[in-house]
Each structure stands twice: as structure tokens, then as C-alpha cells.
């Protein structure tokens, strides 16, 4: 076989190989899109407030019964280690590491940016015509449920508005 034909056959084989690689790459991209469908990227910043998911393995005392809450919070993010790991301001009574994976965290929505203070500077809070109902704003001891948080948010919103 002449050298010219050998180069031609090698070229065809290389072209087929590259086509197969492209097919595999396209198929992999389709699998990635299908696997990530419905997922959204969540990034917390220091100062944000979050709920933590109480997994049985990590929090056996808080998850003894099916009727106990599966989450607790709100807790403040102290440090962003990377996009997947965050250090949370967690009370020492839990006795676990304060580092959490993003899958164990969910945002605590208080209706506005949690890192900013919406009170006006230079304004005297005591001169407000509205009186603060301390009982409605007081947080209960123990795990805080979403219903408690909603009640707290409503009380704060009515005071600020």
C-alpha cells in the first residue's frame, strides 16, 4: 500500500474518532441538563439568615421523633467557605460543627435584603406614633417554626410600616 493511501485511511479513522467524541460530549451535556433540571444555584453571603435542616445522623437528639421539627433557625451565616460550604452562627448546645453544606440550608426570607438595616438614620425610634407590642415580637425558646417566624415578621412589618 502506498504511503499516500495510508495517510488517507488514518485521516478517515481520526475523523470518525473525533465524530464519536463529539457525540459522547453532546450526550453527556444532555445528561447533565436532565440531572440538574429543577435545581437552582443558591449562594449565601456573610450576614444572611438561613434555616438549617436537622438530619437524623447529625442531630440525633433533635430528631428522636417523627413529630419533631425538621428544621431550626434562623441562624446567621458567619463565613462562606466556598459555594457549597458555609459556617453558621450555631449555639454550642447543639454540639456539632458549625460548617454546613448548602443542601442543609434554606434562605430565611424576611421580605427584604437581610443584610441591610431599613431603619432611617438619625430618626428617634421612640418618637414613633406606633407602640411596639413586645409580646408579639418575642421569639419563643427552643426550635422556631415557620409559623412563629411568620408571626414575628408580621409584627415587625407592622411596626416598621
Amino acid at each position: 500500500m502506498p504511503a499516500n493511501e495510508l495517510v488517507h485511511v488514518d485521516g478517515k479513522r481520526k475523523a470518525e474518532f473525533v465524530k464519536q467524541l463529539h457525540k459522547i460530549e453532546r450526550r453527556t451535556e444532555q445528561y447533565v441538563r436532565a440531572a440538574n433540571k429543577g435545581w437552582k444555584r443558591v449562594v449565601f453571603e456573610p450576614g444572611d439568615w438561613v434555616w438549617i435542616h436537622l438530619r437524623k445522623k447529625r442531630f440525633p437528639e433533635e430528631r428522636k421523633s417523627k413529630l419533631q421539627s425538621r428544621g431550626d433557625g434562623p441562624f446567621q451565616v458567619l463565613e462562606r467557605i466556598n459555594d457549597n460550604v458555609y459556617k453558621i452562627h450555631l449555639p454550642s448546645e447543639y454540639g456539632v460543627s458549625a460548617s454546613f453544606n448548602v443542601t442543609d440550608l434554606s434562605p430565611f426570607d424576611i421580605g427584604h435584603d437581610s443584610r441591610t438595616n431599613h431603619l432611617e438614620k438619625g430618626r428617634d425610634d421612640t418618637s414613633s406614633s406606633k407602640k411596639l407590642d413586645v409580646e408579639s415580637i418575642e421569639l419563643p425558646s427552643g426550635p422556631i417554626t415557620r409559623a412563629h417566624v411568620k408571626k414575628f415578621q408580621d409584627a415587625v412589618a407592622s411596626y416598621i410600616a
Side-chain angles (χ1 to χ4, degrees), residues 25-41:
E25 199 173 272
R26 276 194 304 272
R27 179 59 69 186
T28 303
E29 287 173 5
Q30 287 175 341
Y31 289 143
V32 168
R33 273 195 307 275
N36 292 335
K37 186 177 181 181
W39 286 86
K40 71 176 186 179
R41 186 170 180 256

Side-chain angles (χ1 to χ4, degrees), residues 12 50 72 79 94 107 116 123 135-136 146 156 158:
K12 280 185 179 180
V50 295
D72 198 7
E79 178 184 355
Y94 284 102
T116 60
R123 186 172 160 219
E135 287 146 11
S136 64
R146 291 185 190 261
V156 170
S158 68

Side-chain angles (χ1 to χ4, degrees), residues 24-77:
I24 292 169
E25 199 173 272
R26 276 194 304 272
R27 179 59 69 186
T28 303
E29 287 173 5
Q30 287 175 341
Y31 289 143
V32 168
R33 273 195 307 275
N36 292 335
K37 186 177 181 181
W39 286 86
K40 71 176 186 179
R41 186 170 180 256
V42 179
V43 178
F44 299 107
E45 296 296 329
D48 285 347
W49 291 88
V50 295
W51 287 95
I52 59 169
H53 180 241
L54 302 174
R55 295 190 184 277
K56 279 186 181 180
K57 284 186 175 183
R58 192 164 186 187
F59 298 95
E61 291 299 312
E62 283 77 18
R63 293 293 307 276
K64 289 180 187 175
S65 163
K66 290 193 298 186
L67 301 177
Q68 288 179 310
S69 67
R70 295 172 186 233
D72 198 7
F75 298 107
Q76 197 166 25
V77 175

Side-chain angles (χ1 to χ4, degrees), residues 39-44 58 79-88 99-105:
W39 286 86
K40 71 176 186 179
R41 186 170 180 256
V42 179
V43 178
F44 299 107
R58 192 164 186 187
E79 178 184 355
R80 178 176 151 198
I81 297 170
N82 62 35
D83 284 352
N84 289 326
V85 182
Y86 296 90
K87 191 170 191 172
I88 306 299
S99 297
F100 285 87
N101 191 297
V102 72
T103 57
D104 292 328
L105 303 174

